């Protein structure tokens, strides 16, 4: 909490986490908690050994329990992942290797896609959608959210009324129209429509 780490807010409904045995963790909640919120938390945060669970460590060292292992990481250039032979689901992953390239420039990303230098691209700038849709399959889904974070442990954002005021002052519709070229929808809670914790009533 002192560092305002990514887990702090989403895990605030957990009061304690206790290792029951080598493969079991028991969570105690601060109050009655909807199942959807717990599922969203579980799907959004992988298992990470406690000794590695610091911002400084995770920035430079791989840690987790996923279907791929880190093979190569070149900051701002590329990331190579290889199949994890010890993954719990023996049928996955279906790929032996994945190379992810990082682009600092949107134009370079689109140029690489059009030239065939990359097989697919994530988060294509919306302004390119009309030009690309005749040659590529464009998928618009619940894959990305633009989030304005307010660290509730640091003034002035420790004031709930201020956080609410800032959240309500953001003109989401205008951002969608002028920045996202109309290719988005406004969300008023920190859960995407695909999340089990999403509630359209909010």
């Amino acid at each position: 909490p002192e560092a305002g780490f990514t887990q702090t807010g989403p895990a605030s409904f957990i009061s304690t986490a206790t290792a029951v045995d080598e493969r079991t963790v028991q969570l105690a909640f601060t109050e009655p908690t909807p199942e959807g919120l717990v599922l969203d938390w579980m799907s959004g945060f992988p298992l990470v050994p406690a000794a590695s669970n610091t911002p400084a460590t995770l920035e430079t060292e791989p840690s987790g329990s996923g279907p791929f292992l880190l093979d190569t990481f070149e900051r701002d250039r590329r990331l190579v992942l290889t199949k994890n032979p010890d993954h719990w689901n023996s049928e996955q992953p279906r790929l032996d290797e994945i190379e992810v390239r990082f682009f600092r420039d949107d134009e370079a990303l689109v140029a690489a896609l059009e030239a065939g230098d990359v097989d697919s691209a994530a988060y294509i700038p919306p302004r390119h959608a009309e030009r690309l849709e005749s040659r590529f399959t464009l998928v618009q889904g619940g894959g990305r959210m633009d989030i304005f974070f307010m660290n509730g442990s640091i003034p002035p954002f420790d004031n709930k009324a201020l956080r609410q005021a800032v959240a309500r002052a953001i003109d989401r519709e205008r951002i969608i129209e002028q920045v996202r070229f109309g290719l988005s929808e406004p969300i008023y809670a920190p859960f995407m429509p695909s999340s089990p914790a999403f509630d359209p009533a909010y």
Side-chain angles (χ1 to χ4, degrees):
E2 292 76 16
F5 196 31
T6 310
Q7 275 271 25
T8 305
S12 60
F13 63 91
I14 299 172
S15 61
T16 60
T18 306
V20 177
D21 56 44
E22 196 173 273
R23 293 183 174 269
T24 308
V25 174
Q26 184 177 53
L27 302 177
F29 301 151
T30 57
E31 59 188 354
T33 304
E35 180 182 0
L37 180 59
V38 179
L39 291 174
D40 187 85
W41 173 79
M42 290 174 66
S43 65
F45 296 96
L47 295 173
V48 177
S52 303
N53 195 20
T54 67
T57 302
L58 292 174
E59 185 176 351
T60 57
E61 299 177 21
S63 184
S65 57
F68 289 96
L69 301 174
L70 178 64
D71 178 85
T72 306
F73 176 60
E74 299 172 33
R75 182 177 294 280
D76 297 327
R77 290 194 62 235
R78 69 185 190 122
L79 168 74
V80 178
L81 303 171
T82 56
K83 184 175 183 176
N84 182 356
D86 299 320
H87 186 56
W88 65 269
N89 187 342
S90 60
E91 296 180 1
Q92 293 184 356
R94 295 184 175 90
L95 299 174
D96 293 326
E97 182 179 285
I98 295 177
E99 179 176 341
V100 178
R101 295 187 195 168
F102 303 105
F103 292 83
R104 287 179 173 268
D105 179 75
D106 292 341
E107 299 297 332
L109 168 63
V110 172
L113 180 64
E114 292 182 306
D117 292 336
V118 295
D119 297 317
S120 64
Y123 310 132
I124 292 290
R127 67 179 179 276
H128 296 291
E130 187 174 347
R131 185 174 102 231
L132 297 173
E133 63 184 357
S134 63
R135 296 179 53 203
F136 300 94
T137 300
L138 301 184
V139 178
Q140 180 184 351
R144 177 173 180 173
M145 225 171 139
D146 293 319
I147 303 175
F148 174 65
F149 282 107
M150 293 177 273
N151 189 339
S153 65
I154 298 176
F157 295 115
D158 57 346
N159 183 325
K160 179 181 177 181
L162 175 72
R163 294 196 304 271
Q164 291 174 329
V166 171
R168 291 175 180 169
I170 297 172
D171 189 342
R172 293 163 175 80
E173 288 78 7
R174 184 176 180 189
I175 292 172
I176 289 170
E177 184 62 31
Q178 296 186 356
V179 179
R180 293 290 170 205
F181 291 76
L183 298 175
S184 298
E185 61 180 302
I187 300 295
Y188 297 90
F191 304 104
M192 302 167 83
S194 58
S195 164
F198 178 76
D199 186 345
Y202 292 117

